[in-house]
Structures are given as C-alpha cells and as structure tokens.
Amino acid sequence: MRAPTPGFTTRFAPAPTGALHLGHAVNALWVWGLARRFGGRVVLRIEDHDRGRCRPAYEQGILDDLDWLGLVPDGLTTDEFPAGPVPQRQSDNTVRYETRLAELDTRGLVYPCTCSRAEIARATEAHEGLELTYLGTCRGRSKDPERVDHEQVGLRVLMTGDAPERFDDLRLGPQSHDPMTQCGDLLVRDRLGQWTYQFAVTVDDWEQGIDLVIRGEDLLASTGRQLRLARLLGRTTPPAFLHHPLIRHPDGRKLSKSSQDTGLAELRAAGWTPTRLFGLAAQLSGLQAEPTPRPIAALADLFA
Ligand SMILES: [Zn+2]
C-alpha cells in the first residue's frame, strides 16, 4: 500500500437509511486511522440524498454510534465552508447541486430521460450481477418545458470522453475505467426529482475539499464515472482513492443493514467495547493477525 499525501481531507459518509454495522466500523477504522497517522482531516457527511429512505432516527443512531466509538470528526476548512456545520448533510446542499447542474446544462451536457429502469434493462443485454448500461436512448431529446418537470423526467449527463479514466488506487494500484461501457450517461437527478448518489457525492467531494476518498472495494467500479463527472464539473485536481478490503459476515454473507447481529448498537448492548470492536475490525481488514483489542489512540499504529 502506498502512503497518502500527508494533510489530506477525507470523509466518513454513511447514509441514514439504516443502522451502522461492523462494515461501517471497518471503514471508520481506515478513515480515522489513516487520518490520524498522516495528519489528515475527517469530514462527517450524512448522505441523505434519498429522501424516501432516510430516517432522522437512523441519523441519530449514526451519531450515537460514533460517539460511543469515540470517533470525532473534524470540521471543514474550505473557504466556502470556513467553519462548516458538523455533520454535513446532503439535504442542505440542494442549491449547490442545482448550481452545478446548471453549469453542466449551459455547456450542453445535460439531457432529459424518461426511461424507466425496466426499459433500460430491456434495451441492454444486461446479465445478472452486472450493472445496467444506459445506451443513450434519450440523447438529443430537447428539454420540452411542458415535460421537463422534476416529478416526471430524469436528467442525465453526457459521459463521453476521449480515453478511459485512469487512476492509481493507493492500495490496489493502477486502474482503468470506461464509464461509457460500464454505465453510460449518468443519471444525476431521478424521475422523482431526487439527486443521485453519484452526482451528490461528486459535487460534495469537490466542494468540501475531499482529496482522498477511503472506502470499501465494493465501490471501486464507480470510481471512473466519479472522476469523469468531477472533470466535467470543472474539478481540475481529482481526489485520490483508497479502496480497502470488504469484510464478510462470519457465515460468509455480505454484511448489510439486515445483518442484525453485526449492528453496532447490538454489539454494544451485548457488552462489546470499542477497543474490542476495533481489534476485530483490524483483524478482519488484514491489518493485524489476531483480534487483539485496540484502543482508539492506537488506530494510527496500524498504518505505520
Ligand atoms: Zn432515457
């Protein structure tokens, strides 16, 4: 693994659509451990762009869990967010997203799309387990003011580029992604008028000065499209990426919000301490051989 550039700004960015579980603790270990080791800063971002699935109780649960773990986020240091609120919330950033979208639109990069997910699936030869590639069915469609209504029409951004997106993941090494063959033109606002994850995080990462993204390998495939979108938005210095290993449930399943027995609140109720939890998370991440309890002050030592 290559060391990050010291003094970076990264983020811990849970969605309040469920409770934190062991997988989040692993991500937090990498985020705070690397930040404390290399003099970085951690922005806490509540990714509540999906208003239909977010619940205030989940956000409170996330804050309670972080409090219990002893993980304290740092504030923002950018000019626009001189003493930005902690945490950042995507639901507070609507105007910023509107502004960025308008800039893309001015340059002719945005078009309306009325395709449903089922229609896109029919139009592609998507195989089970692979993501759907949007083939540009609605490209060239004009913005009929009668139809371009937030309630009915999605908006996509043209993702064409001259070459694949190449980046050097700090842990996984050189990568090459071609967004056009992976996903096609990105949906940035859906037919319900909601900002999509890819658009919201790309804008957030830029505006909040995030220059190192630390996240699980399950999100590796979306890196190229985020880099391309960032460039189209005008970000000239893209963030660096580090994708850490994903851990699995002891029975082999992927960890998820439905893995009740690995929820942090459940572990806490069962008598686990943060020190014991970080010890297990470090072992599952391959950062130490045994689940030796690890105090929060010793997380940085894992990245010596
Ligand atoms: Zn379409």
Side-chain angles (χ1 to χ4, degrees):
M1 196 176 93
R2 287 189 299 122
T5 305
F8 59 80
T9 301
T10 189
R11 66 330 196 257
F12 182 71
T17 56
L20 296 190
H21 55 66
L22 188 54
H24 294 101
V26 166
N27 179 243
L29 179 152
W30 284 79
V31 166
W32 266 275
L34 283 164
R36 296 301 173 251
R37 169 67 181 79
F38 292 98
R41 303 177 62 80
V42 179
V43 172
L44 174 60
R45 180 196 302 155
I46 301 295
E47 298 201 330
D48 57 353
H49 62 97
D50 184 344
R51 303 308 296 156
R53 293 172 57 224
C54 294
R55 300 283 178 272
Y58 287 134
E59 179 179 324
Q60 190 55 53
I62 288 167
L63 299 178
D64 291 345
D65 285 341
L66 289 177
D67 201 38
W68 173 66
L69 289 169
L71 296 171
V72 180
D74 307 297
L76 288 171
T77 53
T78 64
D79 293 339
E80 276 193 274
F81 294 93
V86 175
Q88 299 294 307
R89 284 187 193 81
Q90 290 181 326
S91 55
D92 293 332
N93 286 347
T94 300
V95 173
R96 294 174 186 278
Y97 303 146
E98 293 277 5
T99 302
R100 294 297 179 190
L101 181 65
E103 289 167 4
L104 290 173
D105 193 25
T106 302
R107 288 158 49 212
L109 293 172
V110 181
Y111 65 87
C113 170
T114 54
C115 300
S116 68
R117 191 175 168 77
E119 286 168 338
I120 295 168
R122 277 198 296 276
T124 65
E125 295 180 11
H127 300 285
E128 197 173 345
L130 294 179
E131 61 182 321
L132 297 179
T133 304
Y134 184 69
L135 297 180
T137 311
C138 298
R139 258 193 207 181
R141 174 170 288 189
S142 63
K143 292 193 194 61
D144 178 348
E146 293 296 311
R147 296 211 61 194
V148 180
D149 178 328
H150 294 188
E151 300 304 317
Q152 297 171 27
V153 181
L155 294 173
R156 289 186 186 271
V157 169
L158 285 166
M159 291 292 277
T160 39
D162 297 333
E165 295 294 329
R166 299 182 199 283
F167 61 99
D168 198 359
D169 187 276
L170 290 182
R171 181 174 152 265
L172 300 173
Q175 309 286 320
S176 177
H177 290 169
D178 180 6
M180 282 310 291
T181 57
Q182 287 179 298
C183 62
D185 294 337
L186 261 194
L187 190 69
V188 294
R189 201 170 62 192
D190 68 18
R191 298 199 297 172
L192 299 174
Q194 299 202 105
W195 302 103
T196 62
Y197 167 79
Q198 301 293 352
F199 185 71
V201 299
T202 303
V203 173
D204 291 343
D205 283 344
W206 185 22
E207 298 213 347
Q208 295 169 3
I210 306 300
D211 52 13
L212 174 61
V213 177
I214 301 168
R215 58 186 190 176
E217 281 179 7
D218 54 333
L219 295 172
L220 176 64
S222 67
T223 306
R225 71 201 65 168
Q226 289 183 11
L227 287 170
R228 179 154 304 174
L229 184 56
R231 221 152 31 77
L232 292 173
L233 285 164
R235 183 172 186 175
T236 51
T237 308
F241 283 83
L242 187 154
H243 290 88
H244 60 70
L246 281 185
I247 61 160
R248 301 193 79 82
H249 190 278
D251 70 8
R253 278 178 293 137
K254 186 177 179 230
L255 282 184
S256 72
K257 282 156 185 154
S258 57
S259 305
Q260 289 297 332
D261 50 344
T262 58
L264 298 192
E266 285 76 11
L267 292 171
R268 178 170 25 161
W272 282 66
T273 62
T275 300
R276 183 181 166 202
L277 187 67
F278 283 130
L280 175 64
Q283 182 203 25
L284 293 172
S285 297
L287 294 169
Q288 63 180 22
E290 302 293 332
T292 315
R294 183 156 288 264
I296 191 165
L299 294 186
D301 301 340
L302 291 165
F303 301 98

